[in-house]
Amino acid sequence: MGQPHFIVFANEKGGTGKSTTAVHTAIALAAAGRKVAGLDLDTRQRTFGRYLENRAATIDRLGKALPMAKYEVLAQLDEAGLDAAIGRLSNDAEIIVIDTPGRDDPVARAAILKADTLVTPMNDSFVDLDLIGQVHPDTFKVTRPSFYAELIWNSRTQRAKHSGKSVDWVVLRNRLQHIQSHNLVRVGAALDELARRVGFRVIPGLGERVIYRELFPKGLTLLDLSDLGEVGLGHIAARQELREMVSGLAIPAAEADTPAPIAAAG
C-alpha cells in the first residue's frame, strides 16, 4: 500500500490522556474508512493494547462489525523489533498509530523519528507545560524551551535531513476546563508563544469526562453511542469534541481519495 502515515503519540509525563486519545483517534479514522493499525510501545501499562483487546472481545461478544484497527504490543524492545513490528503492520495499513510510554525511552525516540504527525497531549496546567517550556514565576512569560522541546526539534531536523519530509507537531490540550480562568488564559498564552518559537500547532483535545474511564472495559469509544445504552448530553458533547480533535489533526487523505467524514454512530 506504500508508506503508511505515522501518527505518534508521545509525552514523557503520564496522566495526560495519551493512550485514550490515541485509541479514539485510531478508531475514529477506521470509522472514516481508513485502514488503520496500532502499535503499543508501553509494555508495562499496555493501556492502548488492552483497550483494543477489550474492543475485540466486545465485537466477538456482540457479533457486531464495529470499526477496528489491527494492533500489536511491541514484544522486542529495541529498534530492530520496532522496525519488524512496523513492517508487519504496514502490509495492510495506510495509517499507523503508535502509542509511546510516558517516560524517556530509546525505542520511543526511534518511533518519534518516524512520525509524520507527532501528537503531544498535555493537561491544561503549568505542570504539564513545563515539559515543553519553562515560564517566569511572576510574569508567566516563556523563558526557554525545555529539554523535551529540544529533543523533538532535533528529531524533526534529523527526519528532514534523512527523508526530506517535514513533521507536523501537534500539541493537544486535553482536559480543558469549560470555565474560563486566569490559569487557562496564561497557559494558552504561553503555549502560543512556544508554538511560534519551537514550531508546533495547538489544538483542543478531549475534555475531563468520566465517560472515557467507563468506556475502557468494553473497549468502546464515543463513536459507538448506539452500543452504550443510556446516552446523555455529555456523551453527545464529548463525541463532538472527538470529531473536532480528529479533524484538527489534519491527517492527509489517501491518494486519489477525498477526505472521508467521521462516521456518526448512534
Side-chain angles (χ1 to χ4, degrees):
M1 295 186 65
Q3 180 73 8
H5 183 94
F6 290 93
I7 309 174
V8 179
F9 284 79
N11 186 324
E12 291 182 5
K13 289 188 175 181
T16 61
K18 176 175 58 61
S19 297
T20 298
T21 307
V23 168
H24 274 74
T25 298
I27 297 304
L29 291 169
R34 311 299 293 272
K35 293 184 177 180
V36 182
L39 181 58
D40 191 345
L41 304 188
D42 192 349
T43 55
R44 294 180 187 173
Q45 298 290 333
R46 296 184 72 248
T47 304
F48 182 83
R50 286 285 299 128
Y51 206 124
L52 291 176
E53 284 176 12
N54 293 344
R55 186 173 182 83
T58 294
I59 290 171
D60 290 341
R61 185 173 64 254
L62 298 179
K64 297 188 69 172
L66 299 176
M68 186 58 177
K70 65 177 182 178
Y71 64 95
E72 285 191 23
V73 177
L74 189 67
Q76 182 181 334
L77 301 180
D78 54 29
E79 194 165 346
L82 174 66
D83 289 339
I86 287 173
R88 290 189 295 272
L89 293 171
S90 297
N91 290 332
D92 189 34
E94 58 177 300
I95 296 171
I96 296 181
V97 177
I98 300 178
D99 186 31
T100 65
R103 60 181 184 274
D104 188 18
D105 181 282
V107 180
R109 291 194 184 197
I112 288 171
L113 282 174
K114 299 180 183 297
D116 298 296
T117 302
L118 176 65
V119 185
T120 301
M122 59 166 281
N123 296 328
D124 213 50
S125 72
F126 282 109
V127 174
D128 278 30
L129 178 67
D130 192 66
L131 176 79
I132 304 171
Q134 299 174 10
V135 299
H136 191 278
D138 296 321
T139 66
F140 301 102
K141 297 290 186 182
V142 175
T143 56
R144 64 183 298 273
S146 70
F147 170 79
Y148 183 77
E150 293 173 355
L151 169 66
I152 300 302
W153 175 271
N154 291 334
S155 296
R156 295 167 79 192
T157 302
Q158 287 183 52
R159 178 175 170 82
K161 184 184 299 182
H162 293 151
S163 68
K165 295 182 178 180
S166 60
V167 180
D168 183 17
W169 185 14
V170 181
V171 171
L172 203 63
R173 294 180 74 179
N174 271 345
R175 295 171 177 156
L176 274 169
Q177 299 299 314
H178 299 289
I179 299 175
Q180 193 79 339
S181 67
H182 289 302
N183 181 73
L184 185 116
V185 172
R186 287 167 175 165
V187 171
L191 272 173
D192 289 343
E193 183 180 347
L194 275 167
R196 291 190 296 270
R197 290 175 60 173
V198 181
F200 55 77
R201 296 190 293 119
V202 182
I203 66 172
L206 304 181
E208 177 59 70
R209 300 182 188 274
V210 175
I211 181 60
Y212 295 110
R213 292 185 286 276
E214 295 176 343
L215 292 171
F216 175 80
K218 293 183 179 180
L220 294 176
T221 73
L222 290 165
L223 298 178
D224 306 310
L225 293 191
S226 62
D227 298 295
L228 293 181
E230 186 175 344
V231 173
L233 291 177
H235 295 80
I236 305 298
R239 183 176 64 179
Q240 184 59 30
E241 288 175 354
L242 169 63
R243 289 173 172 165
E244 292 174 358
M245 181 200 77
V246 175
S247 177
L249 291 177
I251 306 304
E255 290 185 14
D257 282 350
T258 55
I262 296 174

